[in-house]
């Protein structure tokens, strides 16, 4: 078990995917599950404050993950491909709101643990090392400066042809960080036994290489 936690834009998604691929491990993108709950709630016409309604969706939604030809993630909700739909800022913000609901987190707990199958799992999220997989062999807390994270997200959206202002994006990221790290249930915090990596001045390849060194050290020690 390798847990990779950290704030939005720290590079967790890319790094987790590449580490999983290099080791031949399964990948859990837990953020996608919260995005799916937000999106499914919106589509069902739920009020954002409807905690029981969102928890019911979290418990019953029909989700499937796959890998595209280019190695990227594919996601289906009730048979409909929603790979792009869950990546919008709207879905990210809805995710961050439903993620503060304790009943939603409880409903997703077992679903996340079921991803832990042989030969191993790389779990990407906010509470992988603290709550979902506290016994993970390796816990990495990936960070980057808020400015760098906003720039990365801006570039990602621009590459997709979406035009959003950097200032607006920085504000949204700051709001999401604050909400994620101050919520009562499973706040974004590094596990006591996590290794913190600051990716501000590192390429994704350098971060992946570092995590693989740590992973091989830990696996060798088993
Ligand atoms: O990682 P990603 O940006 O896709 O996550 C979207 C939101 O889902 C986060 O802002 C956070 O509020 C929530 N989340 C969470 N716990 C996780 C993963 C994501 O609360 N393990």
């Amino acid at each position: 078990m390798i847990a990779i936690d950290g704030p939005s834009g720290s590079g967790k998604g890319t790094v987790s995917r590449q580490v999983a691929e290099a080791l031949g491990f399964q990948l859990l993108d837990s953020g996608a599950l919260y995005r799916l709950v937000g999106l499914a709630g919106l589509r069902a016409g739920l009020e954002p404050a409807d905690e029981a309604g969102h928890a019911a969706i979290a418990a019953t939604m029909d989700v499937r993950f796959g890998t595209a030809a280019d190695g990227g993630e594919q996601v289906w909700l009730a048979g409909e491909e929603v790979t792009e739909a869950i990546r919008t800022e709207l879905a990210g913000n809805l995710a961050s709101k439903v993620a503060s609901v304790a009943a939603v987190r409880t409903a997703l707990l077992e679903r996340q643990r079921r991803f832990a199958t042989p030969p191993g799992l790389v779990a990407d999220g906010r509470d992988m090392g603290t709550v979902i997989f506290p016994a993970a062999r390796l816990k990495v807390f990936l960070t980057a400066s808020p400015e760098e994270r906003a720039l990365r997200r801006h570039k990602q959206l621009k590459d997709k042809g979406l035009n959003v202002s950097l200032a607006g994006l920085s504000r949204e990221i700051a709001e999401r960080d604050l909400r994620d790290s101050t919520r009562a249930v499973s706040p974004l915090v590094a596990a006591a036994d996590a290794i913190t990596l600051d990716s501000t001045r590192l390429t994704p390849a350098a971060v992946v290489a570092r995590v693989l060194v740590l992973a091989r050290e830990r696996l060798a020690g088993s």
Side-chain angles (χ1 to χ4, degrees):
M1 270 300 322
I2 300 179
I4 304 187
D5 289 304
S8 329
S10 57
K12 281 176 301 134
T14 312
V15 167
S16 300
R17 176 162 293 279
Q18 291 183 16
V19 169
E21 207 176 283
L23 296 173
F25 282 12
Q26 311 283 341
L27 175 71
L28 164 61
D29 172 6
S30 61
L33 294 174
Y34 290 94
R35 288 170 181 268
L36 284 159
V37 174
L39 184 71
L42 181 72
R43 290 185 173 178
L46 295 188
E47 292 294 329
D50 183 347
E51 299 194 355
H54 283 98
I57 286 179
T60 58
M61 64 184 177
D62 166 22
V63 176
R64 196 159 57 83
F65 287 95
T67 305
D70 67 357
E73 181 182 61
Q74 283 180 308
V75 188
W76 287 268
L77 176 63
E80 180 197 343
E81 194 183 345
V82 291
T83 310
E84 295 291 322
I86 61 163
R87 292 296 148 207
T88 61
E89 287 308 290
L90 170 67
N93 282 318
L94 287 171
S96 159
K97 285 181 186 144
V98 301
S100 64
V101 178
V104 168
R105 303 200 76 88
T106 305
L108 290 180
L109 190 91
E110 281 311 317
R111 198 187 267 270
Q112 293 175 85
R113 290 191 176 150
R114 281 200 296 273
F115 279 80
T117 53
L121 177 71
V122 178
D124 156 3
R126 304 290 190 291
D127 60 345
M128 298 297 100
T130 50
V131 177
I132 310 295
F133 301 110
R137 183 76 51 82
L138 171 63
K139 299 178 185 178
V140 174
F141 194 77
L142 198 57
T143 62
S145 71
E147 297 76 22
E148 176 65 20
R149 292 190 285 119
L151 278 172
R152 286 179 189 171
R153 188 76 190 120
H154 190 247
K155 181 173 180 310
Q156 235 175 26
L157 293 172
K158 228 170 116 187
D159 289 348
K160 283 189 191 162
L162 299 169
N163 194 12
V164 294
S165 92
L166 183 59
L169 206 54
S170 298
R171 247 193 331 272
E172 270 180 24
I173 286 187
E175 277 170 25
R176 188 128 70 95
D177 281 355
L178 185 70
R179 196 162 46 223
D180 288 350
S181 48
T182 57
R183 68 183 173 216
V185 280
S186 306
L188 169 67
V189 348
D193 51 351
I195 294 171
T196 297
L197 283 182
D198 184 341
S199 74
T200 307
R201 286 185 190 77
L202 296 177
T203 61
V207 179
V208 169
R210 178 85 192 109
V211 174
L212 285 174
V213 167
L214 292 168
R216 289 187 173 122
E217 274 171 19
R218 297 292 163 104
L219 295 175
S222 65

